[in-house]
Amino acid sequence: MKTFLSMIMLLAGSTGMMAQSTTESQVMQSINNQMADSIPMDSIFRYEDLAEVVVKGTLPHTRLRGNSMVTTIVGSALSKSGTAKEMLGKVPGMTQSGDEPQVLGKGTPVYYINGRKMQDNDELKRLRSEEIHSVEVITNPGALYDATVSAVVKIKTVKRKGDGFGFDAMAANNQDLRYGYTDPSSTVNLRYRHNSLDLFGMVNYWKWDTVNDSYPLQVAWIKKDGALWENTQNTTLRHDHNMQGMNYNLGFNYQISRDHSIGMRVDKHDKFNSGVKAHIGTEMKEHFLGNNAGIADIITQNSSCQDDKQRQPYSWDGNAYYNGKVGKMGIDFNFDFKTFKSEERNTITEWATKDRTGEPTSHLGQEQDSKADLIANKLVLSYPIWRGQLEAGTEMSFVTRTNKYTITNYPLPQTDSEVKEKNIAAFVQYGCEIPVVGSFNAGLRYEHVGFDYTDNIDGEKSMSRFTDELFPSISWARRFGQIQASMAWSVKTVRPDYQMLDESVIYINSYSLQQGNPQLRNAIMNEVSANMNWRWLNLYMAYERRDHAHTMWSYIYNDEGVILVKNINLEKPVRNIAAFLSASPSFGFYSMNWTAGWQKFFYSQTLADPREASGQRTVEYKKPIMFFDFNNTFRLKHSWQFEANMNIYTKGDVMNYRLTAPSYNLRLVVQKCWLKDDALCLRVSASDVLQKTGTKMELDCGYYVLNQETKNNQHRLDVSLRYTFNASNNKYKGTGAGKDAQGRM
């Protein structure tokens, strides 16, 4: 169960290396993540190919293609970077935020692997960098993508050749150096290729334990009986997350002919022995703000232990595709489904002392059952017209989610709700290249989104709403000698996720409650961006205006100091400007990817504050954030590789909260490979070597201020061993004749 404090910890950790313009939406939309393997659409004529300009040089190299950056991975230092998750943070245009790769200025992207949308975010841990051919980073996606998508990363894997059986196996152990947890994992990928048929399957076991230490200091000013009191909550909070599970997939690709291919993949995710143990200690101090010195401070202590057991009875997702060409018309069709059910049982024991001594004062129980089903499909038709290509299509998704919540021994109502959402979209996009002028791409997307919220207990709280919106986009790209340049403008939206819309009141502790808000409006974003590339140097700049931005807000729940936290829309637009300069040259055995970034938000708000004579005060958020990535790779003889990577971000403002301390993350890696084509590879990495990845932030609501310090658990030692058999066996069966004569010749 997501509590306010755990979400604040996530909020603090998600800013990571990069204070993205989408950080706040990431935090509140951390429910779903995204899946891998299909046939590349090389035979289909696409606009992106028109705008391609290749920069000559040694690998790795990055080029602009329209408004995206394409980096070749195969044959470069990046191809020996461990998992895809480790590698992506070093790709030009991306960064590493905590443990997650993110797009500069955009936050967490939507991933596509060989044209298929990734549904399981852990797939990036299972996909190896050696399997990746190229990575395309799209910073301003056009009409072909959902209007909520602010960035797209398209991963193209190495096209395997030859027939026969092949496999790769990986075994790893991740050792927590601070708390002592040992987390083994292993993956086996199986492949069988015969002529035009490709069969594949995967089995993955994983275990993950992590600890979050947090120290929230909450101060609220409450008027009680005509007097003003200052309530201070000083809390120590520790969450031990213990998770274990297995993943499986099975699928096929079949090349019917040169112009027609089909494929299907099904994934199953099992979770067992998963849960969260939380220890919370709080001291509440009520201080009278007045002239009567005879009124003494009231100090109370409280502590609790929470044991949250999580069970996932089932979780399936799958994809089927057809990719073809009829005459000059290209056809790309995808069908996806996802279904899962989760159950949580949380027991809470509370004491009247901060150190949990004496007899417990209360026992509470929380139960929450959720179920969700998704069906989606997308059809894209493409046709060459004049100097370019016209693409048009439709995309539909239908989601049903049910949620039940009950709590015992506390006066909160139970909830039983159902949410149904349908999204029906139509889009058209045309791209062409005009000599001398450059390449143009213009698109328009229409989305009809219907939302039905049904409260099965209190029908008066049920509601229905729908929106009909248009999302235009336009981009231009041109080459000026060795300089490539592009500009783009688009309109996007951020829709609240289902948890943010859930009206259930969740118990956190004796002084804190959390509630969703089904009245939340969609946020609307207008963005203009520019990109310039010269050989190994890239400059990206962007301006964004966001209306109805989502954030968390606090309310005084009662005169006992209890705080209720809800999701709201900000009344004023939020603006931000960002600039990122990246350099990724190679010098013999040394390859680097360095990035310097700057981002500044512009926002002010008038807050209700009973301490002020006027009853209110104005707060401005405009302090910029600087951040730096220093990724260094040294490739030596005999397949030795060393890496030293450092991420830094400074203090500054992000939307309506402040980062009040800098953060540093140093990561060291040593790798050694053996056998032909480096088939056997040992990789050892140490993360957060300096133990300086903690985050400090402040959220100011006027009558309530939260200061939060979080110590992220990233100080780890990771050891992995990978073996690949028959990765790209040549299917040519001839052994030749006259070998001796050929040798002499």
Side-chain angles (χ1 to χ4, degrees):
M1 298 180 184
K2 295 214 176 185
T3 67
F4 169 57
L5 296 180
S6 63
M7 290 188 72
I8 286 295
M9 289 161 58
L10 178 60
L11 177 68
S14 68
T15 59
M17 191 25 229
M18 153 83 218
Q20 319 86 342
S21 59
T22 54
T23 297
E24 64 284 352
S25 62
Q26 282 174 250
V27 173
M28 306 189 209
Q29 290 181 308
S30 56
I31 288 192
N32 272 310
N33 292 320
Q34 286 68 290
M35 230 145 84
D37 252 6
S38 105
I39 297 290
M41 300 188 297
D42 294 337
S43 61
I44 293 185
F45 176 81
R46 298 183 301 168
Y47 158 71
E48 290 95 315
D49 298 325
L50 289 174
E52 180 174 336
V53 181
V54 177
V55 180
K56 296 181 180 179
T58 58
L59 293 175
H61 67 268
T62 300
R63 62 190 183 273
L64 288 186
R65 191 162 70 184
N67 67 328
S68 64
M69 298 174 62
V70 183
T71 300
T72 302
I73 305 300
V74 65
S76 75
L78 293 178
S79 67
K80 302 295 183 181
S81 298
T83 66
K85 191 172 184 179
E86 293 176 276
M87 183 210 68
L88 286 170
K90 296 181 282 187
V91 170
M94 299 191 70
T95 186
Q96 195 77 13
S97 176
D99 192 38
E100 295 296 326
Q102 296 181 341
V103 174
L104 291 171
K106 296 290 186 172
T108 302
V110 171
Y111 292 96
Y112 286 83
I113 301 178
N114 293 331
R116 181 178 51 81
K117 187 176 180 180
M118 191 182 76
Q119 300 289 356
D120 176 15
N121 197 43
D122 282 344
E123 192 168 338
L124 295 178
K125 297 180 181 178
R126 301 191 293 268
L127 181 64
R128 305 294 301 181
S129 59
E130 295 89 347
E131 301 176 73
I132 298 175
H133 178 272
S134 61
V135 173
E136 181 178 358
V137 180
I138 305 175
T139 55
N140 209 323
L144 270 62
Y145 300 96
D146 189 289
T148 61
V149 176
S150 61
V152 171
V153 171
K154 299 169 76 172
I155 299 172
K156 184 177 180 179
T157 61
V158 175
K159 195 171 183 179
R160 300 187 182 277
K161 301 176 182 179
D163 282 357
F165 172 76
F167 74 90
D168 63 78
M170 185 274 293
N173 185 69
N174 192 287
Q175 183 68 42
D176 187 312
L177 299 178
R178 181 180 295 167
Y179 299 100
Y181 283 120
T182 299
D183 295 321
S185 64
S186 60
T187 303
V188 177
N189 288 293
L190 304 174
R191 297 177 293 273
Y192 178 76
R193 295 185 294 279
H194 180 70
N195 294 331
S196 299
L197 178 64
D198 181 18
L199 303 175
F200 59 88
M202 181 274 297
V203 178
N204 163 246
Y205 164 79
W206 59 273
K207 180 176 177 287
W208 188 252
D209 300 280
T210 185
V211 178
N212 284 314
D213 287 329
S214 185
Y215 307 93
L217 175 63
Q218 304 173 72
V219 184
W221 293 272
I222 302 171
K223 283 194 173 181
K224 184 166 53 175
D225 299 327
L228 183 61
W229 290 78
E230 180 182 79
N231 288 6
T232 302
Q233 297 181 43
N234 194 354
T235 304
T236 58
L237 176 66
R238 171 169 168 165
H239 277 96
D240 287 68
H241 299 258
N242 310 110
M243 296 161 281
Q244 191 177 15
M246 294 193 71
N247 300 298
Y248 321 84
N249 73 43
L250 189 65
F252 74 92
N253 299 308
Y254 181 56
Q255 188 83 28
I256 301 173
S257 66
R258 180 178 180 275
D259 293 331
H260 303 278
S261 60
I262 60 174
M264 184 176 180
R265 169 175 167 153
V266 177
D267 288 72
K268 185 176 186 292
H269 312 282
D270 288 339
K271 235 186 223 184
F272 41 87
N273 298 331
S274 297
V276 181
K277 293 184 182 295
H279 300 279
I280 306 172
T282 301
E283 182 177 271
M284 168 73 89
K285 178 181 178 181
E286 297 181 74
H287 176 68
F288 176 69
L289 298 178
N291 297 323
N292 192 341
I295 300 180
D297 292 341
I298 302 173
I299 299 177
T300 57
Q301 293 184 335
N302 178 278
S303 62
S304 65
C305 287
Q306 300 186 18
D307 189 0
D308 189 3
K309 300 293 185 182
Q310 302 173 358
R311 179 173 172 264
Q312 188 172 274
Y314 60 84
S315 178
W316 293 83
D317 56 71
N319 167 268
Y321 76 89
Y322 164 75
N323 183 255
K325 195 174 183 181
V326 178
K328 293 184 178 181
M329 178 176 289
I331 304 172
D332 185 19
F333 175 76
N334 277 266
F335 173 83
D336 287 84
F337 78 89
K338 187 177 183 69
T339 180
F340 75 88
K341 182 178 181 180
S342 65
E343 300 173 350
E344 295 187 42
R345 302 294 182 262
N346 190 15
T347 58
I348 305 172
T349 305
E350 295 188 331
W351 289 264
T353 57
K354 195 173 182 180
D355 55 0
R356 299 189 297 278
T357 57
E359 290 296 321
T361 57
S362 64
H363 294 276
L364 292 80
Q366 296 183 95
E367 295 186 2
Q368 183 163 286
D369 296 336
S370 300
K371 179 183 176 183
D373 299 289
L374 161 73
I375 295 177
N377 61 74
K378 184 177 182 179
L379 173 66
V380 182
L381 304 176
S382 57
Y383 196 84
I385 296 178
W386 190 48
R387 296 177 179 272
Q389 178 171 265
L390 179 68
E391 295 173 287
T394 181
E395 185 172 9
M396 294 180 284
S397 64
F398 304 90
V399 178
T400 301
R401 185 177 190 271
T402 60
N403 184 68
K404 295 182 179 180
Y405 171 80
T406 59
I407 183 170
T408 58
N409 299 327
Y410 194 83
L412 285 178
Q414 66 176 359
T415 60
D416 183 355
S417 62
E418 180 182 69
V419 171
K420 291 185 177 181
E421 183 177 276
K422 61 180 179 180
N423 187 330
I424 301 174
F427 51 85
V428 61
Q429 181 172 286
Y430 179 71
C432 68
E433 178 154 358
I434 303 174
V436 182
V437 179
S439 303
F440 288 91
N441 190 310
L444 183 65
R445 185 181 181 95
Y446 162 76
E447 290 192 0
H448 170 85
V449 180
F451 172 81
D452 294 307
Y453 174 83
T454 303
D455 191 317
N456 296 321
I457 296 177
D458 186 354
E460 294 184 359
K461 294 182 180 180
S462 300
M463 61 173 290
S464 296
R465 70 183 185 192
F466 67 89
T467 58
D468 291 283
E469 297 175 299
L470 292 174
F471 300 97
S473 61
I474 187 169
S475 65
W476 163 84
R478 188 178 186 278
R479 177 178 174 178
F480 301 89
Q482 292 191 9
I483 298 177
Q484 303 166 77
S486 68
M487 294 187 66
W489 166 74
S490 66
V491 178
K492 296 289 182 179
T493 187
V494 178
R495 298 188 181 98
D497 62 38
Y498 302 113
Q499 186 172 11
M500 294 169 65
L501 297 168
D502 191 347
E503 206 171 21
S504 305
V505 179
I506 305 297
Y507 178 88
I508 301 170
N509 58 34
S510 298
Y511 307 115
S512 303
L513 305 173
Q514 180 188 337
Q515 184 180 33
N517 181 7
Q519 304 295 328
L520 277 178
R521 301 171 62 183
N522 298 339
I524 302 296
M525 299 177 297
N526 275 269
E527 183 185 71
V528 178
S529 62
N531 211 336
M532 297 181 66
N533 180 274
W534 175 78
R535 299 179 65 187
W536 41 261
L537 199 62
N538 192 86
L539 175 64
Y540 174 78
M541 297 175 291
Y543 167 80
E544 180 194 87
R545 168 182 166 141
R546 182 177 301 196
D547 294 276
H548 317 305
H550 303 144
T551 191
M552 291 185 291
W553 205 252
S554 70
Y555 297 90
I556 304 299
Y557 187 73
N558 57 28
D559 58 6
E560 302 301 322
V562 177
I563 298 296
L564 174 67
V565 179
K566 295 186 68 171
N567 298 287
I568 66 166
N569 295 108
L570 290 178
E571 296 179 357
K572 298 179 182 179
V574 179
R575 297 174 174 85
N576 82 83
I577 298 176
F580 314 100
L581 181 64
S582 300
S584 53
S586 295
F587 307 98
F589 66 88
Y590 170 55
S591 298
M592 59 177 280
N593 177 21
W594 290 11
T595 298
W598 174 90
Q599 187 165 25
K600 183 173 182 177
F601 283 78
F602 300 88
Y603 187 70
S604 66
Q605 57 186 157
T606 300
L607 306 173
D609 191 337
R611 296 173 297 169
E612 301 291 333
S614 62
Q616 60 185 26
R617 59 184 169 88
T618 300
V619 180
E620 293 186 339
Y621 301 90
K622 58 183 181 180
K623 184 176 181 179
I625 289 179
M626 297 286 294
F627 70 92
F628 306 91
D629 280 1
F630 302 107
N631 297 309
N632 307 276
T633 301
F634 304 86
R635 299 185 70 182
L636 306 179
K637 293 181 179 179
H638 309 298
S639 298
W640 281 96
Q641 179 169 305
F642 299 91
E643 300 175 27
N645 308 313
M646 171 72 95
N647 308 116
I648 304 171
Y649 74 81
T650 66
K651 298 185 291 185
D653 298 337
V654 178
M655 209 174 70
N656 69 321
Y657 64 91
R658 291 192 166 97
L659 300 178
T660 57
S663 179
Y664 312 88
N665 188 358
L666 174 62
R667 190 165 185 264
L668 303 176
V669 180
V670 59
Q671 180 173 282
K672 169 63 176 162
C673 298
W674 298 270
L675 306 182
K676 183 181 178 181
D677 298 323
D678 291 341
L680 182 64
C681 213
L682 176 67
R683 184 177 176 87
V684 180
S685 63
S687 302
D688 191 14
V689 175
L690 303 178
Q691 301 189 56
K692 296 290 185 181
T693 59
T695 304
K696 292 183 180 180
M697 55 83 66
E698 179 184 272
L699 177 66
D700 189 349
C701 298
Y703 46 77
Y704 167 84
V705 174
L706 167 67
N707 282 281
Q708 173 95 3
E709 178 182 1
T710 303
K711 293 183 178 179
N712 300 326
N713 181 28
Q714 298 177 31
H715 187 46
R716 291 174 172 264
L717 179 68
D718 189 29
V719 181
S720 65
L721 183 67
R722 173 190 55 83
Y723 175 70
T724 303
F725 172 76
N726 193 14
S728 56
N729 187 36
N730 194 325
K731 71 176 184 177
Y732 185 71
K733 299 296 191 298
T735 59
K739 301 295 287 185
D740 181 63
Q742 291 182 40
R744 291 198 306 270
M745 291 175 62

